[in-house]
Amino acid sequence: MGGYIIVIHFVWEDFLKIAREELGSRVVETWFKAVSMSRWDGIEKVIYLQTPNAFICNWLEKNYRSFFQTHLGRLLNVADPKVQFLTTSSKKEEVIVKEISEKSSEKNSKAPQVKTYRAAQVIPYGSKNVTHTKVFERYGYINKKYVFETFVVGPSNSLAYAAACAVAQKPGELYNPLFIYGGSGLGKTHLLHAIGNAIQEKNQKAIVLYQTADRFVNEFINAIRFDKIDRFQKKYQLVDVLLIDDIQFISNKDTTQEAFFHIFNSLYDARKQIVFSSDTFPQNINGIAERLRSRLASGMIADIHQPCIEVKMAILKRKAESSGEILSDEVAHFLATHVTSNIRELEGALIRVIAFAHLTKEPIDLSLVKKVFSHEEQLVKDSVDFRSVIKAISKHFPYSLDELRSENRNKELVLARQITMYMMKKKTNSSLREIGAYLGDRNHTTVKHALEKIEHYINEDAALQRHINAIEKEFEH
Ligand code: ADP
Ligand code: MG
């Protein structure tokens, strides 16, 4: 049973990753993040998806049903599964949603349509002229939407912003490489594209390549598989500016690192600008060769922190304005204090509020925002928090929270720590990163590794399985 749930977790996480690639992270944060996969009925082939309220349920149903079917089906290895959206909403709300769906089916203009969205959001680099069209096929994309002008600067990101501007002004001359690090959703990708756009604007001929590290890894593996290594290397050697997003994904991929190391060196020697982003400081990226690590850290390193309330409010107002809406201070303040995790989620919340206002034709005021949030908070409350997990664990293991958080590698303690991570993933709505951060600032890959371990143990070891079932009983009341 436990193993089964963990499998669902991984399927769901893989699904979100694909959705991010296919539909963009905005769609994922806005519509999919509040959803969870609650059950998979392998006999009837039904996927049950829990949604926080009838409004989101209805929206997903209308716009993304076939996307869920195709990709979850593929991940679960079945053709044409059924998708059942569940909601815990009240009857009253369902009436509103019915009205909404009638209205919106007449004029479905606000619905993000799967096919057109991608084309509108991702604009190929230099798509206007012929040679650049070729380049577009071979190189990654620069998203024209992410520019310096729309980036709100505050104390949390001013260093990274200034460094990015300097690099865009004088590529290859000032800070090379530039390494930007910070938590998820705080603007790293935005800055990378902004650098690309600014350089491109000044010099149409410059070849700017944006690539995420995991796509780089895939590309490299395919190049080996299809014997296209020469082409692969040539492609990277031709670029003037290389923007590599989420470089931490290169960890533990030794051969890819080797290839990347050579590409890096030849670009660096030719004084081409290289920019990296990462979720951690170079020294803290696990599983990369020392010489690559020191290359990454050899230029300028700039971090981005969590923004303060004022910056969050400014971002919200700016984003609302670009959708033709004005936010009052009151509403912006409410959103900025209620959404605490990151800017991506802040944007997602704003988009939901705007969509709700459009569909119900109500003005965006505090009462509307509270209405949208009351459903979502209910979902969060339904899940358990970290402290309850620690409490349950402490009844079964003789360790304190400090010990669970410590570096101590005592065998029993390590197992207790891994089980804690497993329970947190299973019982709370938290991400691997949040769990890692809570348990002694550990990396999300450490948490992932722990989940895999426990899942493996559960299948092998009936005693452990019983022990875990007993811990789970603590949550039933
Ligand atoms: P990361 O790559 O760090 O995970 P992103 O660059 O994807 O984060 O940012 C998430 C969203 O938040 C994007 O839509 C981005 O435009 C927006 N964003 C982040 N920081 C800012 C900022 N300072 N001003 C305006 N928008 C921002
Ligand atoms: Mg990013």
Side-chain angles (χ1 to χ4, degrees):
M1 188 63 192
Y4 164 77
I5 288 183
I6 266 302
V7 167
I8 289 195
H9 273 304
F10 284 134
V11 165
W12 184 245
E13 277 186 9
D14 284 346
F15 170 78
L16 291 181
K17 214 167 154 194
I18 293 168
R20 246 180 223 119
E21 291 259 313
E22 293 281 316
L23 306 171
S25 54
R26 181 179 293 253
V27 172
V28 173
E29 295 306 324
T30 310
W31 303 111
F32 298 175
K33 256 308 181 50
V35 178
S36 60
M37 184 166 161
S38 57
R39 206 153 71 80
W40 158 236
D41 179 343
I43 297 167
E44 298 290 327
K45 294 193 187 159
V46 190
I47 298 162
Y48 291 90
L49 298 174
Q50 181 71 43
T51 64
N53 57 48
F55 167 63
I56 290 184
C57 176
N58 198 266
W59 189 288
L60 293 172
E61 176 112 46
K62 269 178 83 64
N63 297 292
Y64 298 108
R65 171 179 287 283
S66 66
F67 186 83
F68 279 106
Q69 247 168 342
T70 315
H71 292 284
L72 285 172
R74 218 161 42 81
L75 293 169
L76 291 162
N77 222 353
V78 286
D80 277 334
K82 290 186 215 67
V83 178
Q84 183 74 45
F85 294 98
L86 307 172
T87 163
T88 45
S89 65
S90 66
K91 292 230 165 57
K92 195 165 130 225
E93 189 195 357
E94 263 154 19
V95 177
I96 302 176
V97 167
K98 201 150 168 257
E99 281 168 22
I100 293 170
S101 71
E102 277 156 13
K103 269 183 221 153
S104 60
S105 60
E106 288 160 24
K107 220 179 98 218
N108 200 9
S109 60
K110 274 278 155 180
Q113 305 229 315
V114 175
K115 286 212 178 78
T116 52
Y117 188 86
R118 189 174 189 194
Q121 190 199 25
V122 182
I123 297 172
Y125 145 78
S127 55
K128 280 198 193 98
N129 81 32
V130 186
T131 42
H132 281 176
T133 311
K134 270 197 207 133
V135 171
F136 151 62
E137 283 166 18
R138 296 173 51 209
Y139 291 85
Y141 305 102
I142 296 287
N143 190 336
K144 292 266 188 250
K145 208 183 66 183
Y146 292 141
V147 290
F148 285 125
E149 289 73 24
T150 56
F151 193 84
V152 176
V153 187
S156 57
N157 57 27
S158 56
L159 177 66
Y161 174 81
C165 287
V167 157
Q169 285 291 320
K170 294 195 158 118
E173 287 181 35
L174 286 170
Y175 306 130
N176 207 12
L178 169 63
F179 190 100
I180 299 175
Y181 79 95
S184 168
L186 296 182
K188 302 181 298 293
T189 299
H190 189 136
L191 282 180
L192 255 56
H193 284 286
I195 294 172
N197 278 313
I199 294 177
Q200 204 69 87
E201 199 174 297
K202 267 202 309 204
N203 179 3
Q204 288 269 321
K205 293 214 181 91
I207 300 180
V208 180
L209 170 54
Y210 166 89
Q211 190 73 295
T212 62
D214 56 348
R215 269 202 235 133
F216 180 87
V217 172
N218 282 339
E219 209 187 347
F220 176 69
I221 292 169
N222 281 333
I224 294 179
R225 191 180 297 158
F226 300 113
D227 202 15
K228 299 239 166 78
I229 275 292
D230 283 351
R231 231 175 92 180
F232 172 84
Q233 272 172 342
K234 206 157 163 207
K235 163 179 164 177
Y236 280 89
Q237 274 155 8
L238 274 175
V239 304
D240 299 309
V241 179
L242 180 60
L243 311 164
I244 299 278
D245 210 354
D246 292 317
I247 186 72
Q248 74 274 7
F249 287 125
I250 209 166
S251 66
N252 298 325
K253 314 267 179 354
D254 296 349
T255 339
T256 313
Q257 282 181 25
E258 187 73 26
F260 184 72
F261 186 76
H262 290 295
I263 290 168
F264 177 97
N265 283 343
S266 68
L267 289 178
Y268 183 82
D269 290 343
R271 309 191 63 157
K272 304 291 179 66
Q273 180 68 46
I274 305 161
V275 185
F276 299 107
S277 88
S278 165
D279 63 351
T280 38
F281 188 68
Q283 295 308 332
N284 296 338
I285 305 176
N286 294 327
I288 62 170
E290 202 45 51
R291 59 179 189 162
L292 180 57
R293 192 196 303 281
S294 65
R295 285 290 192 288
L296 295 180
S298 65
M300 164 83 172
I301 301 179
D303 58 350
I304 305 186
H305 308 282
Q306 290 281 348
C308 58
I309 294 274
E310 289 75 15
V311 170
K312 283 190 188 170
M313 286 173 65
I315 291 173
L316 282 166
K317 288 190 165 192
R318 180 89 64 96
K319 303 262 169 189
E321 246 167 62
S322 68
S323 315
E325 304 287 343
I326 308 271
L327 284 197
S328 67
D329 277 349
E330 198 181 40
V331 167
H333 190 268
F334 181 91
L335 287 173
T337 44
H338 275 72
V339 183
T340 48
S341 32
N342 66 45
I343 296 168
R344 189 179 294 125
E345 279 171 23
L346 203 61
E347 275 189 336
L350 177 67
I351 293 170
R352 282 195 296 276
V353 166
I354 293 178
F356 195 72
H358 278 237
L359 292 168
T360 56
K361 297 212 159 47
E362 286 176 40
I364 303 180
D365 55 17
L366 205 55
S367 88
L368 176 119
V369 176
K370 283 186 175 160
K371 222 184 284 171
V372 174
F373 267 75
S374 64
H375 302 306
E376 296 179 7
E377 279 176 355
Q378 194 54 44
L379 184 81
V380 175
K381 273 199 215 110
D382 287 345
S383 97
V384 164
D385 65 9
F386 283 165
R387 255 180 288 161
S388 327
V389 175
I390 297 293
K391 209 168 129 202
I393 293 287
S394 70
K395 291 189 186 158
H396 294 262
F397 293 96
Y399 302 113
S400 67
L401 178 56
D402 282 344
E403 282 168 308
L404 291 171
R405 284 177 166 163
S406 72
E407 293 294 322
N408 190 331
R409 307 277 313 152
N410 168 303
K411 213 167 146 211
E412 271 295 305
L413 175 56
V414 168
L415 181 68
R417 193 178 288 134
Q418 289 175 334
I419 292 177
T420 308
M421 291 172 178
Y422 172 87
M423 283 296 161
M424 286 180 165
K425 185 68 210 164
K426 195 166 162 181
K427 296 287 174 192
T428 75
N429 285 332
S430 312
S431 66
L432 301 184
R433 195 180 308 281
E434 285 160 344
I435 294 170
Y438 185 83
L439 288 173
D441 252 343
R442 292 182 150 79
N443 198 292
H444 69 280
T445 49
T446 311
V447 181
K448 188 162 177 233
H449 179 71
L451 302 185
E452 285 163 353
K453 269 254 166 73
I454 296 300
E455 189 197 1
H456 175 76
Y457 289 156
I458 286 175
N459 292 329
E460 304 275 301
D461 180 345
L464 185 77
Q465 162 98 61
R466 278 196 299 277
H467 197 166
I468 286 187
N469 288 345
I471 299 172
E472 276 193 55
K473 284 242 164 17
E474 307 284 350
F475 296 97
E476 293 168 10
H477 37 234

